[in-house]
Amino acid sequence: MPYTIKSSEKLRPSGAEYETKALLYLMNFRADSPEVYYYVVDFFNDLTGMNRTGRKMWDIQSKGAKKSSPRALGKELVTLFKNYKSEFDFNFFVLFLGGVSPTVRIDQTKNMFDIKNIQPSALKKMKQGLIEECKDKTYIDNTDINDKEIDEFLNKVQFVIDDKKPHEYVKSIIKTHKKLIPNEEILNAIFNEIRDKQASKKNASVVENITIETTHEALNYFRHLTTGEIRLLTISRIINRNLFDKGVPLPFYIILNSVPDERKKDVILESQLALSKALFNKNNADIFWNLFENVYSTIVNNPKDNVNVLYDKLDNDIVEQCYDFDVISLKYFISLIKDGIE
C-alpha cells in the first residue's frame, strides 16, 4: 500500500501559531487525546497524530483565516480528502480553523461540530469548493471526484474552531494543577517554544516525492514530536532548568557523596532512566503531574530542607502510585526541581 508525499509545505509564519494550537488541541482537548503519542509534522498533512504503535492516525489540516467562507473551507479540505482516498487508513479527519463566516454554522455556539451543524446552502458551496480544488490537484484521481465519494468523506470530517489564546492551550498541558501554572508570560513563552520546535521539524529532512509502504515508516524521518517531549519542555520552563542537560543537580550530592565511587555513574544513569520512563509514560501521566505538583509545592514551602527531609514530606499515596521511581531516583527528581527553582 504505497503512499507518496506530495505538497509538503515550507513554514508559513502566519500559520505556525494555528498549527501549534492544532497540536495542543489534539494533545489535550479530545476524548481520545490520551491515545495520541506522536505528532507528525508536515508529512501527510499539516499535522498527523499517531498512537504508540503508529497504526491509528488523526489527520489535521489547519487554516488561520478568521472568517473563512464555505467555498474556502471546501478548498482547504483537499489534503484531507487525498488522505481519505489513499491506501492508508486514517481514522479521523479534522479541519482546525481560525474562524468561519456567519453563514456556515447552524448553531453558532458550537466550536466542535460535523456537517450536521452546517447550513445546507453553505454545505453546497463547501462541496463546490472541494470539487474545484480536487480538479486543480494532480495528486487527486478524477475518478474519485463524484458526489458519492465527496459525501462519504464529508460525513467523516470534524470541524474545530479555535476559541482560545496560546497561553490557554499551554495550561491544558498542566491541566488542573494550579500550583504549577506559571504566569501568562511564561505560558506564552512555552507556547512559542513548542511552535518553534514544531516548525523546525519541517526542515528535519526533505520528504517531497518519497514513497512509504506503511504508516509507521513516516517516523523514520523524524519529523515528529511526542507527548513526552512537550511535557519535558513545559516542565523545564516551569522550574527554569532542563531536566537532562546541566549535569548532576547540586542538591543530589547529599546522596551521591555516600555512594561508592564505582557506583556513582550507574546511580546517575539509573535515576535519569527512571525519570525518562516517568516523563514519557502516557498511561501514568496524571499521576506524574500529581507527583510533580507535590514535589514542587513541598520544596517551595520548605526551601531550606535537604532532599532526604523533602522526600519524607511528600504525599506517600502519590509516591506509591508513581511506580517508575524508586527511592534514589525520586530523590534525584526532587534534586532537579530544587536546583531549578532555588
Side-chain angles (χ1 to χ4, degrees):
M1 300 190 302
Y3 181 104
T4 301
I5 308 304
K6 295 291 184 182
S7 297
S8 176
E9 297 177 337
K10 298 292 184 183
L11 175 63
R12 295 170 296 150
S14 61
E17 176 179 317
Y18 284 93
E19 291 179 9
T20 301
K21 286 182 173 183
L23 186 156
L24 294 174
Y25 153 77
L26 183 57
M27 180 177 174
N28 296 302
F29 289 96
R30 293 173 58 93
D32 55 11
S33 288
E35 296 182 62
V36 187
Y37 185 85
Y38 296 104
Y39 305 88
V40 184
V41 178
D42 194 28
F43 195 90
F44 301 107
N45 211 329
D46 288 340
L47 181 74
T48 305
M50 281 188 182
N51 69 347
R52 187 180 56 82
T53 61
R55 291 184 171 90
K56 187 172 183 178
M57 296 195 291
W58 295 254
D59 202 37
I60 298 185
Q61 174 72 30
S62 65
K63 179 178 175 61
K66 294 290 187 181
K67 294 184 179 180
S68 296
S69 69
R71 189 180 295 271
L73 293 180
K75 289 179 178 293
E76 285 296 321
L77 288 167
V78 68
T79 310
L80 292 168
F81 181 71
K82 176 195 74 170
N83 289 338
Y84 170 73
K85 291 303 301 176
S86 75
E87 295 295 324
F88 285 177
D89 184 14
F90 292 83
N91 302 82
F92 302 96
F93 301 92
V94 179
L95 185 59
F96 188 89
L97 301 161
V100 294
S101 74
T103 61
V104 172
R105 286 174 288 179
I106 296 172
D107 184 346
Q108 302 286 337
T109 65
K110 289 185 177 179
N111 288 333
M112 297 182 188
F113 55 93
D114 57 21
I115 62 168
K116 293 175 185 175
N117 193 45
I118 294 179
Q119 297 278 3
S121 58
L123 184 59
K124 183 178 179 181
K125 292 176 182 177
M126 185 184 298
K127 289 172 66 174
Q128 290 172 350
L130 174 56
I131 290 169
E132 289 171 6
E133 195 70 7
C134 284
K135 289 179 178 178
D136 283 344
K137 301 298 183 184
T138 58
Y139 52 71
I140 302 288
D141 189 332
N142 284 338
T143 61
D144 292 332
I145 309 171
N146 58 72
D147 286 340
K148 180 176 180 294
E149 294 289 352
I150 295 293
D151 287 342
E152 288 180 356
F153 163 67
L154 289 175
N155 273 294
K156 292 181 177 293
V157 176
Q158 300 167 337
F159 299 87
V160 178
I161 296 178
D162 168 43
D163 58 0
K164 298 175 182 64
K165 295 181 178 179
H167 72 271
E168 294 176 294
Y169 281 96
V170 176
K171 274 186 181 180
S172 70
I173 302 173
I174 306 168
K175 300 188 187 299
T176 58
H177 302 285
K178 295 181 180 179
K179 293 178 183 176
L180 294 176
I181 296 176
N183 61 42
E184 188 174 318
E185 182 180 354
I186 293 176
L187 290 171
N188 285 328
I190 293 171
F191 182 93
N192 291 340
E193 282 193 53
I194 298 171
R195 180 201 62 201
D196 294 345
K197 203 168 185 67
Q198 183 176 359
S200 73
K201 295 297 179 180
K202 292 175 179 278
N203 302 316
S205 57
V206 177
V207 295
E208 187 77 13
N209 293 320
I210 70 163
T211 298
I212 58 177
E213 299 291 332
T214 64
T215 58
H216 49 79
E217 285 180 58
L219 302 174
N220 297 348
Y221 295 87
F222 279 82
R223 293 170 72 98
H224 63 266
L225 296 167
T226 67
T227 298
E229 288 178 86
I230 297 168
R231 287 166 61 194
L232 172 60
L233 186 155
T234 303
I235 291 170
S236 297
R237 264 287 182 174
I238 290 172
I239 68 170
N240 198 31
R241 188 197 200 283
N242 188 296
L243 297 180
F244 295 101
D245 277 0
K246 289 173 62 177
V248 180
L250 289 176
F252 191 65
Y253 278 96
I254 192 173
I255 310 295
L256 203 59
N257 287 339
S258 302
V259 176
D261 289 343
E262 66 272 15
R263 281 283 295 148
K264 281 182 167 63
K265 191 172 184 180
D266 289 339
V267 166
I268 295 167
L269 290 175
E270 289 164 5
S271 297
Q272 291 176 337
L273 178 60
L275 172 57
S276 182
K277 285 182 178 179
L279 189 63
F280 287 79
N281 184 352
K282 282 201 72 171
N283 294 326
N284 218 29
D286 287 341
I287 296 300
F288 178 83
W289 283 110
N290 288 341
L291 178 65
F292 181 37
E293 181 181 44
N294 188 216
V295 172
Y296 186 91
S297 59
T298 301
I299 293 170
V300 169
N301 292 330
N302 305 277
K304 295 183 179 180
D305 288 352
N306 66 40
V307 172
N308 290 318
V309 176
L310 290 167
Y311 177 86
D312 283 332
K313 290 182 177 179
L314 297 181
D315 185 317
N316 189 59
D317 289 339
I318 296 175
V319 172
E320 289 285 351
Q321 292 176 69
C322 204
Y323 50 78
D324 290 306
F325 288 111
D326 59 17
V327 175
I328 300 299
S329 58
L330 181 50
K331 288 182 179 180
Y332 183 85
F333 184 46
I334 295 169
S335 301
L336 281 169
I337 298 173
K338 183 173 174 61
D339 191 48
I341 63 179
E342 282 185 340

